[in-house]
Amino acid sequence: MKKNDIFEVEIEDMSKDGEGIGHVDGLTVFVKDTAPGDRIRARLTKEKKNLAYGRLEEVLEPSPDRVTPVCEKARSCGGCTMQHISYSRQLEQKASYVENCLRRIGGVADAADLMEPILGMEEPYAFRNKMQFPVGTDREGRPELGFYAGRTHALIPLSDCPVGHPVNRELLQAMREYLSEAAVPVYDEETHTGLVRHVLTRVGFGTGQVMVCIVANGEKLPKQELLIGKLEQAVETYNRRSEDSPELTLSSVTLNVNKDKTNRILGFSSRVLAGAPVIEDTIGDIRFEIAPESFFQVNPVQTEKLYGRALEYAGLTGEETVWDMYCGIGTISLFLARKARKVYGVEIVPQAIENAKKNAKLNGAANTEFFVGKAEEVVPRLYKEDEETYRADVVVVDPPRKGCDRALLETLISMAPKRIVYVSCDPATLARDIAILREGGYHPKRVTPTDMFPHSSHVECIACIQKQEVKND
Ligand code: SAH
């Protein structure tokens, strides 16, 4: 087979990125937008040694798991790669991916026995509290906002996104009008010119507070009052149409300056254009303040389940000293603090640690202490300085996708906590780190996949990793 050939294939499996996998002429072919069980016709787009990629031309016989996507842009947008697959099948896929990683990468032979049922959503739409819309132009050169197409930075204009909070529809419209009426030059990645790069929105589902953060390649926006007026109106219009409780309020409009030639969305600091520099939100009965630069879980319904499970796995009695590594704004720390003697948190983003300290005060958690810096530097240093103070009975780690640094894992092994609760957004790096911890005498006891990102191929999971008892014969 060569490029542009048309072929028919039965889709047998799914890749970790949500592409369908089939076999034809001794080649393994990956075809996006297909579901296991589909019989399809595709066009060959790329061929490597034993691998090929195809583009779906026609579904000849649909899989019983195929559904019609809710979003009309689902196929072109790079955000949801699995919206054409039934939600129950998505969940099965994610759970089996986690188990596979543990067995193949982690060397955990009893992986199947450790798995608890995946925690899915009852209503897997309108769940995201944060959106980051790239800004660009449409074919006629008018300012547009939307999402990137899969694997490229081609802008797919969007008027709405069914996985986001529905107020984004009004906010996007307001932004589009502002950019156009104030003739704001939009940023061009290729030439590194123009002003507005991204718009970040965040909605506190618990408080109704709305944050809009404009990311710009410069310090000032033209006609700022026009922008604020339009955003206020957008929120009012939304409130008039919806019956949400609490009503939404536009609490924070900020400008984040990012003048770097980079794929990183946010720059390092923001300034207020209107309202407060942060918004507040709640998880359960704990209240948090959140700055634009700070990480905050994007799916509040699932976050409560995730943190509940983390707390259960931590198995605290009230006597423990606990470390919360990669603590962000102190979310997990504050839940732990209610059941522990002392909680230490460490996090690399200074704004997040500011939020964490404030959040501890806001919630009366006097038994917490937070440090700014890289976990793999701060923790080994403190532990070396004072092993007694900075010891750990239980450790929670919640790293970004790349997982934990080896230096941190080695320090954890020497700290010898009885349990490590590992919250992970990439099962492959979780499994890699588990393999390292196993060498240090730890073994996973229970693992729960949690679906924080329905319709995308991402899966979060949480593992309870215990120190093996040394047997004295
Ligand atoms: N536990 C928090 C945040 C988890 S996200 C919550 O549930 O909300 C991962 C966090 O790790 C982010 O806040 C990120 O800024 C931080 N981070 C990334 N690399 C780090 C490092 N090397 N050391 C410490 N924190 C880091």
Side-chain angles (χ1 to χ4, degrees), residues 1 12 57 77 92 129 162 262 288 290 341 348 355 380 393 432 443 461 469:
M1 282 213 302
E12 302 153 22
E57 294 272 312
C77 172
E92 267 174 44
N129 59 17
T262 167
F288 298 98
I290 315 156
R341 189 185 63 81
I348 200 169
N355 295 158
D393 297 305
R432 179 203 66 199
H443 196 82
C461 60
E469 298 298 327

Side-chain angles (χ1 to χ4, degrees), residues 295 297 307 326-328 331-332 347-349 373-376 398-400:
F295 175 91
Q297 286 285 358
Y307 291 172
Y326 311 87
C327 68
T331 29
I332 299 177
E347 156 66 44
I348 200 169
V349 173
K374 291 186 180 171
E376 62 272 23
D398 183 5

Side-chain angles (χ1 to χ4, degrees), residues 118-345:
I118 183 166
L119 303 173
M121 293 195 83
E122 266 155 45
E123 288 288 331
Y125 284 96
F127 55 82
R128 276 191 76 100
N129 59 17
K130 173 175 133 174
M131 304 299 263
Q132 298 184 116
F133 300 106
V135 178
T137 49
D138 66 9
R139 290 213 177 92
E140 280 77 45
R142 285 181 299 240
E144 256 304 344
L145 298 94
F147 272 135
Y148 291 136
R151 293 171 202 271
T152 75
H153 276 191
L155 188 77
I156 309 290
L158 285 180
S159 56
D160 197 3
C161 170
V163 301
H165 189 290
V167 72
N168 283 293
R169 188 187 182 82
E170 274 79 18
L171 296 175
L172 277 169
Q173 181 56 23
M175 280 307 302
R176 207 175 283 119
E177 286 174 19
Y178 160 71
L179 293 170
S180 165
E181 287 171 32
V184 183
V186 303
Y187 181 69
D188 181 333
E189 278 187 320
E190 307 256 305
T191 56
H192 193 47
T193 56
L195 189 61
V196 176
R197 301 170 70 128
H198 268 87
V199 175
L200 178 155
T201 68
R202 206 176 236 157
V203 182
F205 276 50
T207 56
Q209 297 188 10
V210 176
M211 161 185 286
V212 177
C213 174
I214 319 282
V215 186
N217 176 34
E219 271 101 17
K220 269 189 92 139
L221 290 180
K223 301 206 179 150
Q224 203 173 295
E225 322 69 57
L226 181 71
L227 167 71
I228 309 295
K230 291 221 178 259
L231 292 175
E232 272 170 352
Q233 233 173 29
V235 172
E236 264 171 46
T237 307
Y238 177 80
N239 281 335
R240 237 178 297 126
R241 288 194 194 138
S242 91
E243 281 165 13
D244 286 1
S245 168
E247 273 209 339
L248 301 188
T249 41
L250 183 68
S251 303
S252 167
V253 184
T254 52
L255 177 76
N256 176 279
V257 180
N258 183 358
K259 292 196 208 171
D260 296 343
K261 214 174 168 175
T262 167
N263 271 341
R264 189 172 29 77
I265 295 177
L266 287 180
F268 296 106
S269 64
S270 305
R271 88 181 154 80
V272 174
L273 301 180
V278 293
I279 58 164
E280 289 187 356
D281 198 9
T282 52
I283 303 174
D285 56 356
I286 303 190
R287 204 171 173 93
F288 298 98
E289 82 166 27
I290 315 156
E293 295 82 7
S294 299
F295 175 91
F296 188 63
Q297 286 285 358
V298 300
N299 184 332
V301 170
Q302 294 299 90
T303 300
E304 218 169 317
K305 298 183 194 167
L306 182 79
Y307 291 172
R309 191 56 58 96
L311 209 57
E312 184 192 323
Y313 281 3
L316 301 178
T317 62
E319 296 303 313
E320 292 84 356
T321 302
V322 185
W323 269 93
D324 181 14
M325 314 281 181
Y326 311 87
C327 68
I329 64 172
T331 29
I332 299 177
S333 322
L334 295 189
F335 281 96
L336 296 167
R338 290 181 166 174
K339 304 224 161 142
R341 189 185 63 81
K342 177 87 192 185
V343 177
Y344 296 111

Side-chain angles (χ1 to χ4, degrees), residues 18 22 71 73 113 117 203 206 288 316 324 383 402-403 443 466:
C71 178
K73 300 282 175 74
D113 303 335
V203 182
F288 298 98
L316 301 178
D324 181 14
Y383 188 62
K402 67 174 184 211
H443 196 82
Q466 277 187 356

